[in-house]
Amino acid sequence: MPARPRIPDPRKGALEKFAFDLRQLGVGKVGVSWIAAQEDTEVSRPALYAALSGTRLPNGITVSTLLRWWAGNPDEENPDVQSRDWIWGWIPRLPAGSDAHTQANEWKQRYLRLSRAESQRRSTKNRSWKPTPPVQIDTPREQHLLIEEIKGLIERTGLSQDVWLLFGPETLRIERYLSGRVIPHHYWTFQIVNYCADFIPDLHLSEEVDRLNVAAEIARRARVRERRIARNASPARRGRG
């Protein structure tokens, strides 16, 4: 990864223009390396720089991290305002009606519009692509370990028999994770811990989130591995060998 990202050309499309404008927004403000070094920054320095290159759509948390310092103002945030939105929860903490609050919301909406447009573009591009036929695999051991981590966290709340009291309308989603049908991404690992935190006084939020994120990533790679093994062992693949 170079020390600085390539400078995007705003004439080449909405993605590059967004990255170009984001770079301009940061001119004269705290640098990327400084943002990455803050204790509450959850995104790596290379990922923050990559968001400014315009080569691909960055994750919401990456854009949000830059905008918090460049469009918002952490010094103006009210810590008493709580939000379950891990990605954009800092915006409601800004003073309502302030320039920082208005600008942060405008950039958030711009990113969400770009994200929807990029998703539609990829969908259109991939319509002619023929996916690899799915293969059936058993839930790998690594995913079972992730499930046990989530169950253990729920048990610590004392509500393992009444999970709906913890997660409310999201209970069905959580049950999909516990059944092994789906592996939660970073946003939902945070949400799982965040919901449980209300019932576990001594819980360290960031440590638990990091632990679940690592377990989820290992489980995700294990599923990729098992699918690859299953495809290589399929009759169709053997017939081509």
Side-chain angles (χ1 to χ4, degrees):
M1 174 76 191
R4 292 291 185 274
R6 60 179 286 274
I7 298 177
D9 185 344
R11 299 167 298 178
K12 289 187 175 181
L15 180 59
E16 293 221 19
K17 179 167 175 50
F18 180 86
F20 180 85
D21 290 347
L22 189 58
R23 286 172 61 100
Q24 294 300 110
L25 181 68
V27 172
K29 300 177 182 175
V30 295
V32 169
S33 296
W34 191 90
I35 294 174
Q38 300 311 296
E39 288 185 359
D40 56 351
T41 295
E42 302 284 345
V43 185
S44 68
R45 183 166 64 95
L48 293 173
Y49 276 127
L52 303 175
S53 68
T55 55
R56 59 181 296 180
L57 182 72
N59 291 330
I61 185 59
T62 304
V63 173
S64 176
T65 299
L66 293 171
L67 290 178
R68 185 180 177 219
W69 294 96
W70 291 351
N73 186 344
D75 292 336
E76 294 182 2
E77 292 177 16
N78 181 356
D80 295 330
V81 176
Q82 301 298 315
S83 173
R84 291 190 180 276
D85 187 342
W86 178 46
I87 296 178
W88 305 101
W90 55 272
I91 296 180
R93 294 199 293 268
L94 294 169
S98 66
D99 290 343
H101 187 276
T102 300
Q103 187 178 37
N105 264 321
E106 289 174 350
W107 271 94
K108 172 188 173 182
Q109 294 306 318
R110 181 177 175 184
Y111 172 76
L112 294 178
R113 288 194 299 270
L114 177 65
S115 180
R116 288 192 293 268
E118 282 293 299
S119 178
Q120 292 171 358
R121 183 187 65 80
R122 288 195 297 267
S123 176
T124 301
K125 181 179 178 181
N126 292 335
R127 278 175 189 167
S128 60
W129 174 72
K130 211 176 235 188
T132 304
V135 293
Q136 297 296 321
I137 62 172
D138 294 329
T139 303
R141 180 182 63 85
E142 292 88 343
Q143 190 174 353
H144 280 298
L145 293 175
L146 168 64
I147 293 170
E148 290 305 312
E149 292 274 10
I150 298 174
K151 285 182 177 178
L153 188 62
I154 293 172
E155 287 174 0
R156 288 168 61 187
T157 68
L159 294 171
S160 57
Q161 301 302 314
D162 297 293
V163 177
W164 64 273
L165 289 175
L166 270 177
F167 302 110
E170 302 298 344
T171 300
L172 291 178
R173 176 189 295 274
I174 305 305
E175 288 176 347
R176 294 175 68 202
Y177 300 148
L178 294 174
S179 70
R181 284 178 287 170
V182 183
I183 295 175
H185 286 279
H186 287 190
Y187 175 79
W188 278 103
T189 52
F190 173 84
Q191 293 291 32
I192 290 169
V193 177
N194 197 31
Y195 278 114
C196 292
D198 292 338
F199 300 88
I200 308 175
D202 60 344
L203 182 138
H204 297 284
L205 188 69
S206 61
E207 292 179 9
E208 293 292 338
V209 172
D210 288 344
R211 188 163 58 84
L212 279 192
N213 279 338
V214 170
E217 182 60 26
I218 292 173
R220 199 170 289 114
R221 293 180 182 181
R223 289 193 68 87
V224 171
R225 178 197 68 215
E226 295 301 312
R227 283 196 295 268
R228 183 174 62 248
I229 293 172
R231 288 194 194 101
N232 290 338
S234 68
R237 179 62 63 88
R238 289 199 299 269
R240 290 197 299 269

